[in-house]
Amino acid sequence: MKKLELVYEGKAKKVYKTDDPDLLIVDYKDDATAFNGEKRGIISGKGSVNNRMTNHFMRLLAAAGIPNHYVEELSDRETLVKRVTIFPLEVIIRNIAAGSFSKRYGLKEGTVFRKPTLEFSYKNDALGDPLINASHIFAMNLAVPEELALIREYSFKINDLLKSTLMECGITLVDFKLEFGKAPDGTIILADEISPDTCRFWDTKTGEKLDKDRFRQDLGNVEGAYQEMARRLLG
Ligand code: TMP
Protein backbone atom coordinates (compact mmCIF):
# COMPACT_ATOMS: atom_id res chain seq x y z
CA MET A 1 0.00 0.00 0.00
CA LYS A 2 1.54 3.30 -1.13
CA LYS A 3 1.45 6.29 1.22
CA LEU A 4 0.45 9.24 -0.96
CA GLU A 5 -0.27 12.88 -0.13
CA LEU A 6 -1.32 14.21 3.26
CA VAL A 7 -5.07 14.84 3.26
CA TYR A 8 -5.52 16.04 6.82
CA GLU A 9 -3.42 16.93 9.83
CA GLY A 10 -5.14 17.08 13.19
CA LYS A 11 -3.82 17.71 16.68
CA ALA A 12 -2.70 14.13 17.25
CA LYS A 13 -2.79 12.40 13.87
CA LYS A 14 -1.96 12.82 10.23
CA VAL A 15 -4.03 11.16 7.52
CA TYR A 16 -2.64 10.19 4.10
CA LYS A 17 -4.20 9.03 0.86
CA THR A 18 -3.22 5.67 -0.56
CA ASP A 19 -3.44 4.20 -4.06
CA ASP A 20 -6.81 2.72 -3.05
CA PRO A 21 -9.44 5.51 -2.91
CA ASP A 22 -11.34 3.66 -0.15
CA LEU A 23 -8.34 3.36 2.18
CA LEU A 24 -6.33 5.89 4.17
CA ILE A 25 -3.23 5.70 6.33
CA VAL A 26 -3.40 7.22 9.81
CA ASP A 27 -0.08 8.30 11.35
CA TYR A 28 -0.17 8.94 15.12
CA LYS A 29 1.90 11.84 16.47
CA ASP A 30 3.47 12.42 19.88
CA ASP A 31 2.00 15.94 19.94
CA ALA A 32 -0.49 16.55 22.73
CA THR A 33 -2.98 19.35 23.19
CA ALA A 34 -5.62 20.08 25.79
CA PHE A 35 -8.31 22.67 26.39
CA ASN A 36 -9.05 23.05 22.70
CA GLY A 37 -5.41 23.45 21.75
CA GLU A 38 -4.54 26.06 24.41
CA LYS A 39 -2.09 23.74 26.13
CA ARG A 40 0.51 22.06 23.98
CA GLY A 41 3.26 19.55 24.52
CA ILE A 42 4.94 16.37 23.40
CA ILE A 43 4.31 13.03 25.05
CA SER A 44 7.20 10.93 23.88
CA GLY A 45 6.08 7.48 22.68
CA LYS A 46 2.39 8.43 22.73
CA GLY A 47 1.84 7.92 18.99
CA SER A 48 2.99 4.34 19.17
CA VAL A 49 0.94 3.54 22.29
CA ASN A 50 -2.22 5.14 20.87
CA ASN A 51 -1.83 3.41 17.52
CA ARG A 52 -1.26 -0.05 18.97
CA MET A 53 -3.88 0.31 21.71
CA THR A 54 -6.53 1.60 19.29
CA ASN A 55 -5.86 -1.29 16.93
CA HIS A 56 -6.07 -3.80 19.77
CA PHE A 57 -9.48 -2.43 20.77
CA MET A 58 -10.70 -2.18 17.16
CA ARG A 59 -9.86 -5.85 16.50
CA LEU A 60 -11.62 -6.87 19.69
CA LEU A 61 -14.69 -4.76 18.85
CA ALA A 62 -14.87 -6.07 15.28
CA ALA A 63 -14.85 -9.63 16.62
CA ALA A 64 -17.73 -8.66 18.92
CA GLY A 65 -19.82 -7.30 16.05
CA ILE A 66 -18.99 -3.58 16.14
CA PRO A 67 -18.05 -2.58 12.57
CA ASN A 68 -15.06 -0.23 12.49
CA HIS A 69 -12.54 1.39 10.20
CA TYR A 70 -9.50 -0.73 11.13
CA VAL A 71 -7.85 -2.63 8.29
CA GLU A 72 -4.20 -3.32 9.10
CA GLU A 73 -1.41 -2.10 11.40
CA LEU A 74 1.42 -1.00 9.10
CA SER A 75 4.00 0.08 11.68
CA ASP A 76 4.32 1.25 15.26
CA ARG A 77 2.56 4.48 14.38
CA GLU A 78 0.78 3.84 11.12
CA THR A 79 -2.47 2.04 10.39
CA LEU A 80 -4.46 1.40 7.25
CA VAL A 81 -8.12 2.34 7.74
CA LYS A 82 -11.29 2.54 5.68
CA ARG A 83 -12.18 5.98 4.40
CA VAL A 84 -15.38 7.25 5.98
CA THR A 85 -17.20 10.54 6.27
CA ILE A 86 -17.03 11.40 9.94
CA PHE A 87 -20.21 12.60 11.64
CA PRO A 88 -19.24 15.96 13.22
CA LEU A 89 -20.13 14.53 16.63
CA GLU A 90 -18.18 13.37 19.65
CA VAL A 91 -20.01 10.65 21.53
CA ILE A 92 -19.04 10.62 25.18
CA ILE A 93 -19.90 7.72 27.47
CA ARG A 94 -19.32 8.03 31.21
CA ASN A 95 -19.41 5.45 33.98
CA ILE A 96 -17.99 7.67 36.72
CA ALA A 97 -18.15 11.46 37.14
CA ALA A 98 -14.98 13.34 36.10
CA GLY A 99 -13.80 16.18 33.89
CA SER A 100 -16.40 18.45 32.34
CA PHE A 101 -19.30 16.48 33.83
CA SER A 102 -18.07 17.06 37.39
CA LYS A 103 -17.49 20.70 36.61
CA ARG A 104 -20.84 21.28 34.90
CA TYR A 105 -23.01 19.56 37.49
CA GLY A 106 -20.90 20.11 40.61
CA LEU A 107 -20.56 16.38 41.15
CA LYS A 108 -17.48 15.09 42.96
CA GLU A 109 -14.94 13.34 40.69
CA GLY A 110 -15.23 9.60 41.31
CA THR A 111 -19.00 9.51 41.86
CA VAL A 112 -20.14 6.23 40.30
CA PHE A 113 -23.24 6.60 38.14
CA ARG A 114 -26.29 4.40 38.61
CA LYS A 115 -26.24 3.88 34.82
CA PRO A 116 -23.70 4.90 32.15
CA THR A 117 -24.43 8.27 30.53
CA LEU A 118 -24.17 9.30 26.90
CA GLU A 119 -23.77 12.81 25.55
CA PHE A 120 -22.92 14.38 22.23
CA SER A 121 -20.64 17.29 21.42
CA TYR A 122 -20.67 19.14 18.13
CA LYS A 123 -17.18 18.77 16.62
CA ASN A 124 -16.27 22.36 15.94
CA ASP A 125 -12.97 23.70 17.27
CA ALA A 126 -13.91 27.34 16.66
CA LEU A 127 -16.92 26.87 18.97
CA GLY A 128 -15.02 24.70 21.48
CA ASP A 129 -16.97 21.49 20.73
CA PRO A 130 -20.21 22.51 22.50
CA LEU A 131 -22.68 20.00 23.93
CA ILE A 132 -25.49 19.20 21.52
CA ASN A 133 -28.70 17.21 21.92
CA ALA A 134 -30.53 14.87 19.55
CA SER A 135 -33.12 17.41 18.44
CA HIS A 136 -30.33 19.88 17.60
CA ILE A 137 -28.55 17.14 15.65
CA PHE A 138 -31.69 16.44 13.60
CA ALA A 139 -32.43 20.15 13.13
CA MET A 140 -28.92 20.74 11.78
CA ASN A 141 -29.11 17.53 9.74
CA LEU A 142 -25.88 16.20 11.23
CA ALA A 143 -27.42 12.71 11.42
CA VAL A 144 -30.90 11.20 11.00
CA PRO A 145 -32.74 9.44 13.86
CA GLU A 146 -31.97 5.93 12.61
CA GLU A 147 -28.27 6.75 12.42
CA LEU A 148 -28.21 8.28 15.88
CA ALA A 149 -30.07 5.28 17.33
CA LEU A 150 -27.43 2.94 15.92
CA ILE A 151 -24.59 5.17 17.17
CA ARG A 152 -26.10 5.07 20.69
CA GLU A 153 -26.58 1.31 20.58
CA TYR A 154 -23.00 0.72 19.41
CA SER A 155 -21.61 3.17 22.00
CA PHE A 156 -23.19 1.44 24.99
CA LYS A 157 -22.14 -1.96 23.66
CA ILE A 158 -18.57 -0.64 23.21
CA ASN A 159 -18.67 0.55 26.82
CA ASP A 160 -19.57 -2.96 28.04
CA LEU A 161 -16.83 -4.56 25.95
CA LEU A 162 -14.11 -2.07 26.88
CA LYS A 163 -15.06 -2.08 30.56
CA SER A 164 -14.76 -5.84 30.88
CA THR A 165 -11.50 -6.05 28.89
CA LEU A 166 -9.92 -3.30 30.97
CA MET A 167 -11.19 -4.76 34.23
CA GLU A 168 -9.10 -7.86 33.50
CA CYS A 169 -6.04 -5.57 33.37
CA GLY A 170 -6.87 -3.85 36.66
CA ILE A 171 -8.13 -0.70 34.94
CA THR A 172 -11.40 1.12 35.60
CA LEU A 173 -12.91 2.75 32.53
CA VAL A 174 -14.17 6.13 33.77
CA ASP A 175 -15.29 7.69 30.47
CA PHE A 176 -14.32 7.92 26.82
CA LYS A 177 -15.04 9.64 23.52
CA LEU A 178 -15.98 7.94 20.25
CA GLU A 179 -16.38 9.11 16.68
CA PHE A 180 -18.39 7.39 13.99
CA GLY A 181 -18.36 7.67 10.23
CA LYS A 182 -20.31 6.62 7.21
CA ALA A 183 -18.64 4.31 4.70
CA PRO A 184 -19.15 4.89 0.95
CA ASP A 185 -21.84 2.15 1.01
CA GLY A 186 -23.76 4.04 3.72
CA THR A 187 -22.97 1.76 6.67
CA ILE A 188 -22.16 3.36 9.97
CA ILE A 189 -18.85 2.35 11.45
CA LEU A 190 -16.71 3.28 14.43
CA ALA A 191 -13.67 5.38 13.46
CA ASP A 192 -10.93 7.49 15.09
CA GLU A 193 -9.03 6.21 18.13
CA ILE A 194 -9.55 4.64 21.56
CA SER A 195 -6.50 5.53 23.62
CA PRO A 196 -5.33 7.32 26.78
CA ASP A 197 -5.90 10.55 24.79
CA THR A 198 -9.61 9.82 24.43
CA CYS A 199 -10.44 7.80 27.56
CA ARG A 200 -10.04 8.14 31.30
CA PHE A 201 -8.34 5.07 32.77
CA TRP A 202 -7.87 4.68 36.52
CA ASP A 203 -5.87 1.97 38.24
CA THR A 204 -8.62 -0.02 39.96
CA LYS A 205 -6.57 -0.67 43.12
CA THR A 206 -4.80 2.65 43.65
CA GLY A 207 -7.00 5.08 41.72
CA GLU A 208 -3.90 6.38 39.90
CA LYS A 209 -4.75 8.21 36.65
CA LEU A 210 -3.24 6.47 33.61
CA ASP A 211 -4.41 8.76 30.81
CA LYS A 212 -4.13 12.24 29.32
CA ASP A 213 -5.44 13.86 32.52
CA ARG A 214 -1.80 13.56 33.72
CA PHE A 215 -0.91 16.01 30.92
CA ARG A 216 -4.04 18.18 31.27
CA GLN A 217 -3.56 18.56 35.03
CA ASP A 218 0.28 18.55 35.15
CA LEU A 219 0.36 15.44 37.32
CA GLY A 220 3.79 14.31 36.08
CA ASN A 221 4.96 10.95 34.71
CA VAL A 222 2.77 11.39 31.62
CA GLU A 223 4.95 9.13 29.42
CA GLY A 224 5.03 6.50 32.18
CA ALA A 225 1.23 6.37 32.31
CA TYR A 226 0.95 5.74 28.54
CA GLN A 227 3.64 3.04 28.74
CA GLU A 228 1.92 1.43 31.73
CA MET A 229 -1.38 1.26 29.83
CA ALA A 230 0.41 -0.35 26.86
CA ARG A 231 2.10 -2.85 29.14
CA ARG A 232 -1.15 -3.84 30.88
CA LEU A 233 -3.19 -4.15 27.73
CA LEU A 234 -0.72 -5.27 25.08
CA GLY A 235 1.84 -7.11 27.26
P1 TMP B 1 -14.58 15.72 29.40
O1 TMP B 1 -14.88 15.26 30.80
O2 TMP B 1 -13.50 16.73 29.32
O3 TMP B 1 -15.84 16.15 28.68
O4 TMP B 1 -14.03 14.44 28.60
C1 TMP B 1 -14.77 13.27 28.50
C2 TMP B 1 -13.96 12.20 27.78
O5 TMP B 1 -13.75 12.54 26.44
C3 TMP B 1 -12.57 11.97 28.37
O6 TMP B 1 -12.32 10.57 28.40
C4 TMP B 1 -11.63 12.64 27.44
C5 TMP B 1 -12.34 12.60 26.12
N1 TMP B 1 -12.12 13.78 25.30
C6 TMP B 1 -11.60 13.65 24.03
O7 TMP B 1 -11.28 12.55 23.60
N2 TMP B 1 -11.43 14.78 23.29
C7 TMP B 1 -11.76 16.02 23.73
O8 TMP B 1 -11.58 16.99 23.00
C8 TMP B 1 -12.32 16.13 25.05
C9 TMP B 1 -12.70 17.47 25.60
C10 TMP B 1 -12.49 15.00 25.78
Side-chain angles (χ1 to χ4, degrees):
M1 191 58 54
K2 256 217 192 103
K3 191 170 175 180
L4 301 177
E5 76 260 31
L6 183 73
V7 280
Y8 169 81
E9 178 160 6
K11 286 177 278 203
K13 297 188 282 296
K14 291 183 192 172
V15 180
Y16 294 88
K17 275 193 185 160
T18 69
D19 44 18
D20 181 333
D22 291 332
L23 299 176
L24 299 170
I25 291 172
V26 179
D27 188 338
Y28 286 76
K29 306 193 285 185
D30 284 351
D31 301 61
T33 65
F35 313 115
N36 200 16
E38 256 174 60
K39 184 183 172 91
R40 285 163 186 281
I42 300 278
I43 302 173
S44 174
K46 172 171 89 77
S48 161
V49 170
N50 288 6
N51 181 43
R52 291 178 296 124
M53 190 181 296
T54 295
N55 294 342
H56 176 80
F57 284 135
M58 291 295 184
R59 288 187 291 258
L60 190 135
L61 293 172
I66 306 285
N68 66 65
H69 74 167
Y70 174 77
V71 178
E72 188 190 352
E73 188 166 292
L74 301 176
S75 74
D76 238 24
R77 289 171 186 271
E78 295 164 306
T79 294
L80 191 64
V81 300
K82 293 177 196 153
R83 183 175 61 85
V84 295
T85 306
I86 296 280
F87 289 94
L89 298 172
E90 297 192 339
V91 185
I92 295 157
I93 297 275
R94 302 177 192 267
N95 297 303
I96 297 175
S100 68
F101 193 101
S102 288
K103 198 171 167 199
R104 185 175 317 115
Y105 301 112
L107 204 61
K108 192 172 176 298
E109 182 179 273
T111 306
V112 179
F113 295 140
R114 194 172 63 80
K115 279 176 68 175
T117 68
L118 181 150
E119 74 211 35
F120 299 105
S121 294
Y122 177 38
K123 257 173 80 77
N124 184 317
D125 279 341
L127 299 175
D129 298 341
L131 269 185
I132 188 166
N133 70 24
S135 78
H136 299 157
I137 291 170
F138 305 145
M140 292 165 70
N141 201 25
L142 304 179
V144 299
E146 295 70 32
E147 292 169 339
L148 211 60
L150 194 57
I151 287 174
R152 272 179 196 278
E153 184 190 319
Y154 283 155
S155 298
F156 283 120
K157 195 168 168 202
I158 292 165
N159 186 39
D160 290 339
L161 292 162
L162 295 182
K163 252 198 309 200
S164 57
T165 303
L166 287 157
M167 197 163 54
E168 289 166 18
C169 311
I171 298 294
T172 300
L173 179 62
V174 175
D175 57 29
F176 58 98
K177 186 264 298 182
L178 299 172
E179 295 186 23
F180 290 86
K182 218 192 236 189
D185 69 357
T187 53
I188 289 175
I189 67 178
L190 176 67
D192 199 49
E193 64 180 285
I194 304 175
S195 73
D197 272 20
T198 63
C199 305
R200 286 195 172 93
F201 298 130
W202 292 353
D203 184 297
T204 306
K205 271 207 192 101
T206 65
E208 188 189 2
K209 294 179 177 175
L210 295 172
D211 56 59
K212 197 170 138 187
D213 268 353
R214 299 205 74 83
F215 170 76
R216 294 190 189 98
Q217 303 171 3
D218 296 316
L219 300 177
N221 195 26
V222 183
E223 276 89 0
Y226 280 74
Q227 294 304 326
E228 177 62 14
M229 279 306 304
R231 194 188 64 75
R232 294 234 199 151
L233 206 71
L234 311 169

